[in-house]
Amino acid sequence: MGTTYKCCLIFKRRFRSRDAPPPDDVQSLFSVHTGGGPHMGSDGLRRYLDAAGHSDGALDDAEVERLLERIRLQGRGAGPRIPRLARPLLALDDFHRFLFSPELNPPMAKPQVYHDMTQPLSHYFIYTGHNSYLTGNQLSSDCSDVPIIKALERGVRVIELDMWPNSTKDDINILHGRTLTTPVSLLKCLRSIKEYAFVASPYPVIITLEDHLPSDLQEKVAKMVLDVFGSILYYPDTDNLREFPSPEVLKGRVLLSTKPPKEYLETKVGGSMKEGDAEAHLGKGAGDDAAWGKEVPDFQTEIQTAKKHDDDASEHHRDDDDDDDDDDEEQKMKPHIAPQYKHLITIRAGKPKGSLADALKSDPDKVRRLSLSEQQLAKAAEDHGTDIVRFTQRNMLRIYPKGTRVTSSNYNPFLGWVHGAQMVAFNMQGYGRSLWLMHGFYKANGGCGYVKKPDFLMQTEPEIFDPRKRQPVKKILKVKVYMGDGWRMDFKQTHFDQYSPPDFYTRVGIAGVPVDSVMKKTKAIEDNWVPVWEEEFSFPLTVPEIALLRVEVHEYDMSEKDDFAGQTVLPVSELLPGIRAVPLFDRKGNKLNNVKLLMRFEFE
């Protein structure tokens, strides 16, 4: 039964480790496809696979036999086995283990790119990083190529580099300007980008550059970029693109995106930031719990908050593209512009000048990129929602975190996505629920880092999509949470509770537009490493095209904060109906070795 523990001679509790029997729904499914018999052969397995949409009728007899034998082998040592006959057979427990295997019965189809990849870049959401070189917080962490490599290995397609002169002003450093972040060389970053650009996806990598360089160093950047990337660097023959190329055309290519260069203004690297200032900015609550423990705010709430704080001081914090305050002075200086550097920029960028309405007007003769902070977007969404959607049909919109996110936290990405923003830039080195949403969203389309925008964001007739209007319910997703397992293998016996087995419960819900967003939870199952919940939830969806299914498991603690026990986020559009095994991930988005849930998905 387990080991008995005694505490102060007052009480004793046991660590139990017991397997749960197959749920009733699994038993019924097995019976249906065996005709009520005790064993399932290859014909029964084929019937199940076809009915559940596993095979689309594409598996031949030999493949079904191999799968059946693989299922049998997976269960060896897990209990009494059926004697090997001329043809292998599955018992109910074998079938249950098959359904509970994320490798054999995943919640999403096999990873493959299936979206149309031949449309202009502006037709896609693109997996985008912010300050990609930072290893931690925004004020005092090290700069390195390691987080860039990790982002590319995850499938991120947009890498951001902030370029500043080094101390002797004869080379280029990458660092977060006017902070205490330690620099890394541009050359090292570029070489790592080239080496890892296409390990996770063949589709283009875009390097967004925040440029704080004089013209002589801009020329050096141009030479460096050409030397490192050579023929894989894409840049157009013309200064003004009328339409962006497609991801398909740009396979295996690297692109640059930044504002056209201007004269460098003398600014001391590091500015006036001192170590005490960094500590004060980071303050309390900058630890793990602050980063992951907060619920993602509803973006309607963010809009209202932005209206109340129309000119937040954080907007003046040094951040992406935030050097436009110097534009007028720079223009007066009539700078010498490095022509080769300017020529290499494919996606030309800027921040709005004058009214936002003017900035959102499309030019029929050229396309461009506009950058807005998350707060600027929230304020703009109130009165210019359809203008933003129209702008993003041809042009690129990049959203970046507000300057007060010094702990490298993130924001609700859906405010950008529902307005068609292609580059919703996130601190990939951070972690927390917002980042879990980002990771989950880009599991779609084979995890290639490009997700085609739904048709409603591209339509002009009968009208431009208005994110403020409530849409009718398009479909209902029903989710049943049967059971979970694997914690006893991935965690120490005393990880969740010193004296007893854990009390697990599951949170399950939807992230999306405000009306669709909700979280519900199961009851807590006391003292069990293999909890059985058998609870079903129903989620009406008005915008299912971009909705995400959120799943979290926690361990209930009566006296302290509940313990985290795993999470995953899955695109609703990619879910396979039926009973599926759902693997869980840790706080940083890394897959846990054995932890998984058995769930069922149904659409109405």
Side-chain angles (χ1 to χ4, degrees):
M1 289 291 292
T3 304
T4 299
Y5 288 79
K6 295 184 179 181
C7 178
C8 302
L9 302 178
I10 296 174
F11 66 89
K12 60 183 179 181
R13 300 184 71 177
R14 291 178 181 274
F15 279 99
R16 296 195 302 276
S17 178
R18 61 175 184 263
D19 289 322
D24 291 345
D25 287 354
V26 172
Q27 296 183 42
S28 298
L29 198 61
F30 182 78
S31 180
V32 166
H33 293 289
T34 61
H39 300 136
M40 177 183 284
S42 58
D43 290 341
L45 180 59
R46 179 189 289 281
R47 284 194 296 270
Y48 167 73
L49 294 173
D50 290 343
H54 271 272
S55 61
D56 296 326
L59 293 179
D60 60 29
D61 292 343
E63 289 171 318
V64 174
E65 292 282 353
R66 282 195 294 271
L67 175 59
L68 192 147
E69 181 61 17
R70 185 178 173 190
I71 296 169
R72 279 172 47 87
L73 290 173
Q74 192 179 55
R76 287 195 188 279
R81 306 298 307 151
I82 306 169
R84 179 65 186 264
L85 306 176
R87 300 183 67 188
L89 299 173
L90 302 181
L92 173 60
D93 284 345
D94 293 315
F95 185 65
H96 183 212
R97 276 190 292 270
F98 159 62
L99 293 181
F100 215 170
S101 167
E103 292 75 28
L104 300 179
N105 187 36
M108 294 167 46
K110 290 182 180 179
Q112 59 182 353
V113 176
Y114 67 95
H115 293 181
D116 177 8
M117 303 300 284
T118 64
Q119 301 301 306
L121 287 176
S122 56
H123 290 219
Y124 300 84
F125 299 119
I126 310 173
Y127 207 174
T128 301
H130 169 258
N131 288 354
S132 306
Y133 48 86
L134 287 178
T135 57
N137 71 69
Q138 302 284 308
L139 299 182
S140 60
S141 65
D142 291 337
C143 301
S144 169
D145 64 332
V146 173
I148 294 172
I149 292 168
K150 289 181 178 178
L152 292 169
E153 288 177 332
R154 189 178 283 278
V156 172
R157 297 289 85 194
V158 182
I159 299 296
E160 185 196 18
L161 303 176
D162 290 12
M163 303 188 301
W164 294 82
N166 67 352
S167 58
T168 56
K169 295 188 172 57
D170 61 356
D171 207 350
I172 302 100
N173 278 339
I174 302 300
L175 78 158
H176 199 200
R178 298 170 184 168
T179 69
L180 296 175
T181 54
T182 56
V184 61
S185 76
L186 171 62
L187 183 60
K188 186 174 185 179
C189 293
L190 295 179
R191 286 173 173 168
S192 292
I193 291 173
K194 182 182 181 183
E195 183 176 355
Y196 291 91
F198 307 110
V199 295
S201 168
Y203 291 97
V205 167
I206 301 168
I207 304 174
T208 58
L209 299 172
E210 186 179 325
D211 178 1
H212 306 276
L213 302 175
S215 58
D216 61 320
L217 288 184
Q218 289 172 351
E219 291 174 354
K220 190 164 187 173
V221 170
K223 183 177 187 308
M224 203 178 290
V225 166
L226 287 168
D227 288 346
V228 170
F229 295 113
S231 61
I232 70 170
L233 182 70
Y234 174 89
Y235 50 95
D237 295 331
T238 176
D239 284 346
N240 294 319
L241 284 174
R242 293 178 63 92
E243 183 178 74
F244 291 116
S246 72
E248 188 66 32
V249 166
L250 295 171
K251 261 186 174 179
R253 307 297 291 273
V254 173
L255 291 69
L256 299 186
S257 177
T258 187
K259 291 182 294 185
K262 297 167 185 171
E263 182 68 24
Y264 170 71
L265 291 176
E266 285 295 330
T267 306
K268 291 182 180 179
V269 177
S272 59
M273 178 69 72
K274 299 173 184 173
E275 192 166 351
D277 297 334
E279 292 173 357
H281 274 89
L282 291 170
K284 295 181 179 179
D288 290 356
D289 287 347
W292 79 266
K294 293 181 180 178
E295 188 52 87
V296 180
D298 186 287
F299 72 65
Q300 195 62 45
T301 303
E302 292 184 334
I303 292 175
Q304 297 304 317
T305 302
K307 285 177 64 180
K308 291 178 183 176
H309 304 49
D310 197 34
D311 283 309
D312 193 290
S314 69
E315 289 297 296
H316 299 292
H317 185 280
R318 167 62 54 185
D319 215 311
D320 297 54
D321 302 313
D322 204 16
D323 55 349
D324 282 349
D325 293 339
D326 301 326
D327 281 353
D328 292 339
E329 185 176 350
E330 289 187 14
Q331 290 296 336
K332 292 175 185 175
M333 296 172 71
K334 298 294 182 184
H336 163 69
I337 295 175
Q340 183 60 37
Y341 173 75
K342 183 179 180 181
H343 183 59
L344 298 181
I345 301 170
T346 298
I347 303 175
R348 304 207 167 189
K351 284 185 70 173
K353 297 176 184 177
S355 72
L356 184 63
D358 290 336
L360 290 170
K361 289 179 181 177
S362 286
D363 186 333
D365 294 323
K366 64 180 180 181
V367 289
R368 57 194 170 92
R369 191 196 94 198
L370 179 67
S371 288
L372 298 175
S373 73
E374 58 174 289
Q375 290 174 308
Q376 289 174 319
L377 174 65
K379 287 182 280 191
E382 183 66 19
D383 300 315
H384 301 284
T386 55
D387 294 332
I388 300 171
V389 174
R390 183 182 289 107
F391 177 84
T392 59
Q393 291 178 343
R394 292 190 65 242
N395 301 280
M396 307 285 274
L397 178 60
R398 184 173 189 268
I399 311 302
Y400 58 89
K402 60 186 178 182
T404 52
R405 294 191 180 278
V406 293
T407 61
S408 295
S409 63
N410 289 296
Y411 50 100
N412 187 333
F414 279 94
L415 184 56
W417 289 335
V418 80
H419 286 87
Q422 297 88 349
M423 297 181 178
V424 178
F426 262 38
N427 293 308
M428 297 295 171
Q429 79 280 17
Y431 48 97
R433 287 189 169 100
S434 294
L435 189 55
W436 300 346
L437 299 184
M438 181 67 65
H439 292 333
F441 188 83
Y442 285 102
K443 289 175 184 173
N445 197 31
C448 74
Y450 285 81
V451 173
K452 193 169 187 304
K453 295 198 285 188
D455 291 341
F456 68 80
L457 284 173
M458 301 306 302
Q459 72 183 25
T460 56
E461 299 295 337
E463 60 184 3
I464 295 288
F465 175 73
D466 187 348
R468 295 168 298 182
K469 287 185 180 178
R470 181 164 181 161
Q471 305 296 316
V473 172
K474 290 183 180 178
K475 65 174 62 175
I476 296 173
L477 171 63
K478 289 187 175 181
V479 177
K480 189 165 186 177
V481 187
Y482 291 107
M483 59 188 296
D485 198 3
W487 291 279
R488 53 190 168 177
M489 290 173 275
D490 288 348
F491 295 88
K492 292 181 179 178
Q493 200 171 46
T494 55
H495 177 86
F496 297 104
D497 195 308
Q498 192 73 21
Y499 304 109
S500 70
D503 307 327
F504 289 126
Y505 66 90
T506 296
R507 298 181 73 221
V508 59
I510 297 295
V513 297
V515 69
D516 291 352
S517 299
V518 64
M519 287 299 283
K520 303 177 182 181
K521 71 177 184 177
T522 68
K523 59 184 176 292
I525 303 299
E526 294 185 359
D527 297 349
N528 206 316
W529 285 99
V530 188
V532 177
W533 296 286
E534 293 266 8
E535 294 189 45
E536 187 171 47
F537 305 95
S538 183
F539 302 105
L541 302 174
T542 64
V543 188
E545 295 91 341
I546 60 172
L548 299 172
L549 176 69
R550 296 178 54 192
V551 180
E552 298 177 10
V553 178
H554 298 269
E555 199 271 337
Y556 175 72
D557 193 317
M558 186 179 300
S559 59
E560 299 178 5
K561 184 176 180 179
D562 293 354
D563 293 316
F564 173 79
Q567 60 83 23
T568 193
V569 176
L570 301 170
V572 168
S573 62
E574 302 262 340
L575 290 177
L576 292 172
I579 298 176
R580 305 288 170 178
V582 178
L584 298 187
F585 297 75
D586 67 14
R587 293 179 185 178
K588 294 189 176 183
N590 301 312
K591 185 176 176 295
L592 294 166
N593 291 329
N594 298 285
V595 177
K596 59 199 174 184
L597 301 180
L598 189 66
M599 306 177 72
R600 187 185 70 205
F601 308 121
E602 292 182 352
F603 291 97
E604 291 183 0

